[in-house]
Amino acid sequence: MSNDQIENAVTVKNVYKNYGDVEALRDLSLEFPKGQLTSLLGPSGCGKTTLLKIIAGLLPATQGEVLVNGQPVNKPGPDRAFVFQDFALMPWASVIRNVAFGLELRGVNKSERESIATKYIKDVGLTGFEHSFPHELSGGMRQRVGLARALSVDSPVLLMDEPFSAVDEQTRRKFQEDLLNLVKNENKTFIFVTHSIEEAVYVSDQVALLLPRPSRVSEIIKPSSFKNKDINSIRKDSEYLDTVERIWKSLRSYVE
Amino acid sequence: MLSRSFFLKILSGALIFGAWEYAGRVGVNYALPTFLESMKALIDMTISGLIFQAYADTLRPLVVGVLISAFIGIGIGVWVGLSEKFDWLISPIFIIMQAAPLAALIPLLIMAYGIGLTSKVFVVCIMAMPVIVLNTSVAVKNTPSSVKEMARSFLGSRKDVILKIIIPSASPVIFAGLRLGVSAGFIGAILAELKITPTGVGDIISYSRMTADYPSMYAAIFSIILLAVIFLNILEKIEDVLFKGNNQGYIS
Amino acid sequence: MYLFGYRLPGMSSLILWGLLWEILGQMEVSFFLPPLTAIFSTLGEIYNSKAFIRALYETGYSFLAGVFFAVIIGIPTGILMGKNKLLDELLLPWVNTFMSAPLTALVPVLMVLFGFGLKSIIITTTLFAIWIIILNSRAGVMQINRSLVDMANSFGASPIDAFIKIYFWAALPEILGGVRIGFIRAVKGVIIAQLLISIVGFGALFELYSSRFLMTHFWAVIIVLFALAFTLSELLGVLARKVDYYASKRN
């Protein structure tokens, strides 16, 4: 047990989720090692976003429990920060207010939260856009704002719900590279929902393959050999390509 | 079997009418009859046939006015939507009419056309026409250009594009404009009867007010509002059926 | 519309119509259509007359009071309906009914209940404006981007914080849109009420001018009224467009 607390930042134990008669998740258990990036990968309707929202405390589980650093959680807390698929930026607020919003809700005073926000705006490469509004930014820049907001509250666990699916392909590749550096440099645990096989294999230390109706973890894949390689050579690494191929083989029968 | 939403509708009706009945009974105001008294007056009017006669008078300027507004309004609207020059020339007038309190023109209409049917038809027209013209022109202008280009790329003539592409694609919004026009027309028709000469339902309202026969007055008002609401709801249902929930009216 | 390569401003055709009016007026085509210049010179005479200022004051007062009540009752009611299903189901049929009902028919009731004065006019104005404000506020709250609400929750926002910092702002474009249409309807309502009650404000003025066949006076008042109504509607339109991007749907 004490060992578990050290190694796993988040533990999901026997979680069930029903919507009326529909069983969305059945007896799902999964461990998320500290300091690593775990992807939840699966076809649409496999409940990966549902699972992420249960971990975030945005949805209640019908049964089972979620432990964050050994403590059971059932509502949002300062130990987890969320990055949204559609960015969830407040259109009426400037970039700096958006980034500082998590701190604002925690009652941090204005000058302090703005200096923290300024640092993270710089980290995501948006210096100079502090007083722009979301509708003046491109999709990629908006997601950088969303990311800066999640980083600024300095939570040990970062929950990302298909964060790159609403940006164009080039931006997406850049984001994936940035994410690898982020995992390397920040001592945080990342839980990353995606429906892209290539993306999951590229960014993850561990890929949890989810299959639908009802959702369960069918396989856990830990790509290893290319993790320490140069970012630029991963996409042509043979283990990378084999892993992508293997996952596609197990998923293809679920594609309508 | 009673569905929840149907039950709640009944409950909400019962609450409001119950409050009216209660307020009437405790005598909040000498001019407030109870709900049941008013309904009894309405039934009496229906049995004596008075109410049907009244509606025949009230609805005549409304029907004539709405028909004229629909024909002229849709015609102008389509033209405005198709021609940039005509748009520049005509639109400002209807934009101002839409924002302005046109009822202020009624005294002038009485002076110019007397107190007969003509004036009343005019009142209905000035109320109903702006929304019909504006909805039609916006709908025509908003026809997706890809569909128009598709028709042209398959060698459709200008007439084909207008009749087979623009009009069908604009018709949900045009129809919504007509419904809003009818709604404004009702306001105009009743205003005409109350302000110009009391005929029809307006006559019942004015006469029973003078003779302090309040139940009859409330009954007449209740019935005309009910009629307008039911008729407009039917139009809305027709709209839903015809255009399968594609309605997107510009409400005035 | 372009002329010799210059873009003509949107409402510039009104100058043309004004000229046409002037010519028809000078030609004395109809007694009811005096020349525009005569109307404006009459306006110059009456704009600081006691009767005109009084009518303007009474109309402005009842209009402002009417929309004040429509706004402070309408917006909270609409927001509550958007958030509470039971309340919504109980009230929505009535709001829809009054939205499409010919409210003119209620003016005689208000006259016998509240007298032939400002009170009845104010209530009529409120009745004309309030329903669309309720409906739009309700729609604004119901259309809030779900993930904005999730976002606030994920940072542990209290219900009050979520309401003040998220719900109100996210619904603001629809609310202001409703307020704008409500104001336009209120202008119509205040004039209709004055015409029917006809002893206050412009209603009284119209009675006076039409009984004496003072055409230029009559038109002068109409032009002032229309210009005020149009300016108000355009100003609110500008304001509503300013917050348009608050609607996060187009993220």
Side-chain angles (χ1 to χ4, degrees):
Chain A
M1 188 67 198
S2 63
N3 201 22
D4 180 75
Q5 278 179 12
I6 293 163
E7 283 179 357
N8 292 323
V10 177
T11 310
V12 174
K13 278 186 179 166
N14 311 99
V15 162
Y16 289 74
K17 177 71 190 175
N18 299 335
Y19 292 105
D21 294 336
V22 182
E23 214 175 15
L25 301 176
R26 179 196 284 172
D27 196 15
L28 197 145
S29 298
L30 198 55
E31 289 168 344
F32 299 88
K34 205 169 252 180
Q36 297 196 356
L37 190 149
T38 303
S39 288
L40 303 173
L41 173 68
S44 49
C46 74
K48 48 196 193 296
T49 295
T50 303
L51 178 59
L52 195 73
K53 288 198 169 171
I54 290 173
I55 297 171
L58 292 171
L59 283 177
T62 310
Q63 205 185 314
E65 64 174 354
V66 174
L67 305 175
V68 177
N69 286 323
Q71 300 299 314
V73 294
N74 54 17
K75 59 179 199 289
D79 45 9
R80 286 148 292 151
F82 207 104
V83 179
F84 293 85
Q85 181 177 4
D86 62 357
F87 324 135
L89 302 183
M90 300 177 291
W92 55 87
S94 62
V95 166
I96 191 155
R97 182 156 179 239
N98 264 297
V99 173
F101 190 64
L103 299 164
E104 181 182 336
L105 289 176
R106 282 176 200 179
V108 178
N109 71 51
K110 191 171 160 114
S111 62
E112 194 183 337
R113 67 182 190 242
E114 292 203 336
S115 80
I116 296 173
T118 308
K119 173 192 176 300
Y120 284 101
I121 289 171
K122 178 169 168 285
D123 282 3
V124 298
L126 284 180
T127 302
F129 291 97
E130 287 87 349
H131 300 287
S132 304
F133 284 80
H135 69 283
E136 300 164 338
L137 306 178
S138 69
M141 290 159 90
R142 287 180 207 172
Q143 192 54 300
R144 287 179 190 277
V145 178
L147 187 61
R149 178 178 60 196
L151 291 171
S152 69
V153 291
D154 200 25
S155 306
V157 178
L158 229 57
L159 309 169
M160 309 178 97
D161 182 14
E162 302 195 23
F164 308 149
S165 66
V167 301
D168 64 70
E169 184 57 30
Q170 290 84 340
T171 314
R172 185 176 182 141
R173 286 196 170 211
K174 181 78 177 78
F175 268 131
Q176 291 165 356
E177 296 179 7
D178 291 351
L179 183 59
L180 279 181
N181 287 325
L182 202 62
V183 178
K184 213 174 279 175
N185 301 332
E186 301 268 336
N187 187 25
K188 290 185 194 298
T189 308
F190 293 77
I191 305 179
F192 186 92
V193 165
T194 181
H195 58 244
S196 160
I197 301 172
E198 285 84 357
E199 179 167 275
V201 179
Y202 184 79
V203 300
S204 309
D205 297 297
Q206 163 178 300
V207 180
L209 203 58
L210 266 63
L211 290 180
R213 284 177 289 273
S215 277
R216 61 208 183 267
V217 180
S218 84
E219 212 177 330
I220 291 176
I221 297 153
K222 300 196 177 191
S224 55
S225 70
F226 57 82
K227 275 289 131 183
N228 300 319
K229 282 192 181 166
D230 177 36
I231 279 176
N232 295 313
S233 56
I234 295 180
R235 286 188 217 272
K236 45 186 191 259
D237 182 272
S238 67
E239 193 199 346
Y240 167 81
L241 293 168
D242 288 347
T243 315
V244 169
E245 185 61 24
R246 190 166 63 135
I247 295 176
W248 167 234
K249 274 190 180 133
S250 24
L251 283 180
R252 70 187 304 164
S253 59
Y254 289 89
V255 178
E256 292 90 9
Chain B
M1 170 101 179
L2 249 72
S3 74
R4 176 189 148 91
S5 86
F6 182 72
F7 172 73
L8 280 169
K9 266 184 197 150
I10 300 284
L11 178 66
S12 119
L15 280 176
I16 299 285
F17 292 132
W20 177 0
E21 178 72 23
Y22 179 76
R25 283 185 189 219
V26 292
V28 173
N29 190 305
Y30 72 95
L32 183 70
T34 68
F35 172 65
L36 292 175
E37 278 167 9
S38 307
M39 289 306 104
K40 190 180 165 295
L42 182 59
I43 291 168
D44 289 346
M45 274 185 235
T46 315
I47 291 170
S48 70
L50 184 65
I51 199 96
F52 300 110
Q53 234 174 330
Y55 276 122
D57 285 341
T58 300
L59 295 181
R60 193 180 307 134
L62 179 66
V63 171
V64 177
V66 165
L67 283 179
I68 294 176
S69 307
F71 274 106
I72 300 180
I74 292 179
I76 294 179
V78 170
W79 196 3
V80 165
L82 291 174
S83 152
E84 208 177 303
K85 287 197 185 78
F86 201 65
D87 183 18
W88 174 80
L89 191 64
I90 296 288
S91 283
I93 291 179
F94 285 97
I95 292 171
I96 288 181
M97 281 175 85
Q98 176 76 342
L102 288 174
L105 290 174
I106 293 177
L108 191 77
L109 289 173
I110 302 174
M111 282 188 277
Y113 299 101
I115 54 170
L117 186 65
T118 324
S119 287
K120 292 180 179 171
V121 171
F122 254 107
V123 174
V124 173
C125 284
I126 57 173
M127 301 295 252
M129 192 118 58
V131 69
I132 297 178
V133 171
L134 290 179
N135 258 45
T136 307
S137 70
V138 168
V140 169
K141 277 185 219 165
N142 284 354
T143 309
S145 57
S146 65
V147 192
K148 283 188 281 186
E149 280 159 10
M150 180 276 291
R152 279 218 305 279
S153 75
F154 285 113
L155 306 180
S157 66
R158 175 143 176 88
K159 194 178 131 212
D160 284 333
V161 175
I162 293 173
L163 289 180
K164 294 181 178 161
I165 304 291
I166 292 176
I167 300 286
S169 119
S171 47
V173 180
I174 295 178
F175 196 94
L178 279 180
R179 177 168 52 81
L180 296 173
V182 172
S183 174
F186 261 105
I187 292 182
I190 294 164
L191 188 58
E193 287 196 329
L194 291 175
K195 181 70 193 173
I196 301 177
T197 38
T199 50
V201 180
D203 184 35
I204 303 182
I205 297 173
S206 305
Y207 181 77
S208 49
R209 196 180 87 206
M210 268 187 303
T211 57
D213 177 10
Y214 294 121
S216 298
M217 177 178 147
Y218 279 74
I221 291 172
F222 182 87
S223 75
I224 187 75
I225 289 182
L226 191 70
L227 180 81
V229 169
I230 290 177
F231 185 65
L232 290 166
N233 269 312
I234 291 174
L235 282 184
E236 216 172 323
K237 287 279 174 326
I238 294 176
E239 213 171 302
D240 281 348
V241 172
L242 279 182
F243 308 114
K244 295 179 195 89
N246 191 17
N247 49 343
Q248 32 183 302
Y250 298 87
I251 211 149
S252 67
Chain C
M1 172 70 181
Y2 289 85
L3 197 67
F4 309 122
Y6 288 102
R7 210 184 120 73
L8 294 171
M11 303 297 275
S12 54
S13 66
L14 286 179
I15 298 170
L16 219 63
W17 289 106
L19 280 175
L20 183 69
W21 184 341
E22 178 65 23
I23 293 166
L24 291 177
Q26 295 289 356
M27 286 164 62
E28 293 180 22
V29 175
S30 162
F31 164 72
F32 299 103
L33 202 71
L36 210 50
T37 43
I39 294 169
F40 277 109
S41 72
T42 308
L43 183 58
E45 286 162 26
I46 61 168
Y47 85 97
N48 54 6
S49 74
K50 231 182 197 141
F52 183 77
I53 290 174
R54 196 181 129 95
L56 204 58
Y57 168 76
E58 280 173 344
T59 308
Y61 174 77
S62 13
F63 172 78
L64 287 179
V67 294
F68 172 77
F69 289 119
V71 165
I72 62 154
I73 301 171
I75 294 178
T77 308
I79 292 181
L80 285 177
M81 282 171 70
K83 296 201 64 175
N84 184 314
K85 191 154 186 289
L86 180 69
L87 195 66
D88 190 39
E89 282 178 292
L90 281 177
L91 291 183
L92 189 61
W94 288 102
V95 175
N96 278 330
T97 299
F98 282 106
M99 185 69 210
S100 51
L103 295 167
T104 326
L106 283 177
V107 178
V109 174
L110 298 175
M111 278 155 73
V112 297
L113 287 180
F114 302 103
F116 292 74
L118 285 181
K119 210 187 199 177
S120 295
I121 297 180
I122 292 171
I123 296 174
T124 310
T125 312
T126 303
L127 282 179
F128 266 77
I130 197 168
W131 314 108
I132 185 68
I133 297 179
I134 294 180
L135 280 180
N136 266 40
S137 307
R138 169 184 178 273
V141 170
M142 290 178 94
Q143 281 164 19
I144 285 180
N145 187 349
R146 186 64 225 167
S147 70
L148 266 185
V149 178
D150 273 349
M151 187 274 289
N153 285 338
S154 82
F155 287 121
S158 66
I160 293 174
D161 265 346
F163 191 82
I164 297 175
K165 294 184 172 168
I166 301 289
Y167 281 97
F168 177 75
W169 294 97
L172 194 60
E174 272 93 355
I175 293 177
L176 275 185
V179 169
R180 186 178 95 88
I181 302 170
F183 271 52
I184 295 173
R185 290 170 69 110
V187 171
K188 298 176 180 182
V190 82
I191 295 299
I192 286 175
Q194 290 191 357
L195 278 175
L196 291 177
I197 297 173
S198 75
I199 52 167
V200 262
F202 286 113
L205 221 49
F206 286 143
E207 286 294 305
L208 180 73
Y209 294 158
S210 58
S211 67
R212 295 187 192 165
F213 292 95
L214 296 168
M215 290 325 299
T216 51
H217 286 69
F218 194 89
W219 277 112
V221 171
I222 294 232
I223 286 178
V224 169
L225 267 183
F226 281 22
L228 285 178
F230 179 72
T231 313
L232 181 75
S233 135
E234 288 301 295
L235 283 179
L236 289 165
V238 169
L239 192 67
R241 272 193 294 281
K242 272 210 167 129
V243 298
D244 227 16
Y245 64 85
Y246 285 16
S248 46
K249 275 277 133 49
R250 277 151 291 173
N251 223 338

